[in-house]
Amino acid sequence: MRDLNEIFGLEGKVAVVTGAASGIGESSAEVLAQAGARVVLGDLNAEGAEAVAKRIRESGGQAVSQGLDIGNRGEVDEIVVRAAREFGGLDVLCNIAGVPFDGLLEDLGDDDFDRVVGINIKGTLYGCQAAIPLMAARGGGSIINVSSGAIDLPVANYGLYSITKAGVAQLTHTLAQEVGDRGIRVNALAPGATLTNFTRRRLKNPDGSINQESLDQFVGSMESMSPIGRVGEAVDQAWLVLYLASEASRFCTGQIWRSNGGATTGR
Ligand SMILES: NC(=O)c1ccc[n+]([C@@H]2O[C@H](COP(=O)([O-])OP(=O)(O)OC[C@H]3O[C@@H](n4cnc5c(N)ncnc54)[C@H](O)[C@@H]3O)[C@@H](O)[C@H]2O)c1
């Protein structure tokens, strides 16, 4: 029998993680490094990404960081090249950075549409395009995109965000068909409500502090949608990222993975 640590581990692998300064990206970078991967962390918040990379290095892992706007193709190309230069190649790409958008579809203007599509869809595509040749050169790899539970449950005021995340899901399905012959697997997470800065942004007082009553209400309402009564933590997504990055998921591609406490199952 093979050693499970070897099958689920990432010793000798190189990963790029976008959105790595906070939330799901931060936790994923930490978990991948803990599993043995050498990690390149990218984020618009360059200082935040470096703080996470430093923490990984201080706990014995290998990590570097770089400022990155995934909406800029040149910057996305650069971070992938950095992985090759610094660590010799690329095995895993976690396209985690993304932005929310609140607003009714009937009021949606071109500038907002282009900006959010430019980050959530085009930014994800840029990452995939940059990664494919490097992964193919190594005989394969794993691309992990981030869609959202919002593709299953339409919510008023959240239309543009859902449209972009549905786009990421379709990109994932199709790209998996196109690059499978080069040994590259492409999967996406569709996270349920996960407590990060992303969800907390709506729960703040005017001075920027968290409004405890709004937080409790939000958590209660998310827990009530889950058959197991849970709201997610970033690491709940990161452990799924680890599975999808590792050999343990070698038979899985083109799928949308729903770590969401079962919130969409009874509907
Ligand atoms: N938290 C949730 O409930 C939830 C649910 C479904 C999907 N998601 C998705 O998960 C992903 C991560 O979200 P999170 O909850 O960890 O949020 P977060 O706000 O904690 O982290 C997002 C990170 O992405 C970075 N970022 C934003 N725009 C960027 C850009 N253009 N280039 C590079 N970096 C950029 C931010 O600086 C931040 O560090 C997003 O794609 C989000 O849409 C989150």
Side-chain angles (χ1 to χ4, degrees):
M1 263 227 303
R2 285 185 56 198
D3 179 10
L4 279 183
N5 285 318
E6 188 196 316
I7 297 166
F8 283 84
L10 296 176
E11 213 55 58
K13 302 289 184 191
V14 180
V16 165
V17 180
T18 74
S22 171
I24 297 169
E26 172 182 3
S27 186
S28 298
E30 286 178 336
V31 166
L32 295 184
Q34 198 187 347
R38 289 164 290 168
V39 188
V40 183
L41 293 84
D43 201 290
L44 212 49
N45 174 0
E47 270 181 29
E50 179 49 28
V52 179
K54 185 163 176 270
R55 217 165 51 228
I56 291 173
R57 291 193 297 271
E58 284 169 357
S59 15
Q62 289 189 65
V64 294
S65 73
Q66 159 159 342
L68 165 74
D69 177 359
I70 62 161
N72 179 319
R73 184 190 281 280
E75 292 185 23
V76 176
D77 288 346
E78 265 174 42
I79 197 166
V80 167
V81 167
R82 173 98 187 263
R85 199 176 62 233
E86 199 94 30
F87 296 133
L90 181 67
D91 304 289
V92 177
L93 169 67
C94 304
N95 267 321
I96 296 180
V99 288
F101 182 81
D102 301 325
L104 294 174
L105 286 175
E106 67 184 278
D107 298 332
L108 184 60
D110 286 351
D111 288 350
D112 283 331
F113 184 87
D114 292 345
R115 182 179 62 79
V116 180
V117 167
I119 296 170
N120 289 357
I121 299 187
K122 284 171 89 176
T124 301
L125 177 66
Y126 294 156
C128 296
Q129 289 175 328
I132 290 165
L134 278 180
M135 289 182 174
R138 269 156 106 88
S142 173
I143 295 175
I144 300 153
N145 296 326
V146 178
S147 176
S148 170
I151 68 171
D152 299 316
L153 286 179
V155 178
N157 223 41
Y158 227 43
L160 174 58
Y161 176 75
S162 310
I163 289 168
T164 63
K165 291 301 186 175
V168 169
Q170 191 54 44
L171 184 163
T172 301
H173 289 311
T174 306
L175 190 64
Q177 299 298 318
E178 294 179 354
V179 298
D181 61 352
R182 279 162 276 171
I184 302 172
R185 299 182 295 108
V186 192
N187 289 284
L189 318 180
T194 303
L195 281 177
T196 64
N197 289 330
F198 189 93
T199 35
R200 287 193 198 102
R201 80 188 188 285
R202 292 202 247 179
L203 311 171
K204 290 191 173 163
N205 295 313
D207 68 358
S209 62
I210 288 290
N211 182 308
Q212 194 57 44
E213 199 184 325
S214 307
L215 177 64
D216 292 345
Q217 244 174 32
F218 173 78
V219 169
S221 115
M222 292 303 124
E223 286 174 347
S224 72
M225 289 171 72
S226 158
I228 51 173
R230 290 189 71 110
V231 63
E233 296 170 34
V235 77
D236 292 316
Q237 304 304 323
W239 288 329
L240 180 53
V241 166
L242 171 62
Y243 171 68
L244 293 171
S246 74
E247 193 193 343
S249 63
R250 67 184 185 184
F251 196 42
C252 306
T253 193
Q255 305 295 319
I256 312 303
W257 296 77
R258 291 168 166 82
S259 178
N260 65 9
T264 55
T265 53
R267 288 157 196 276

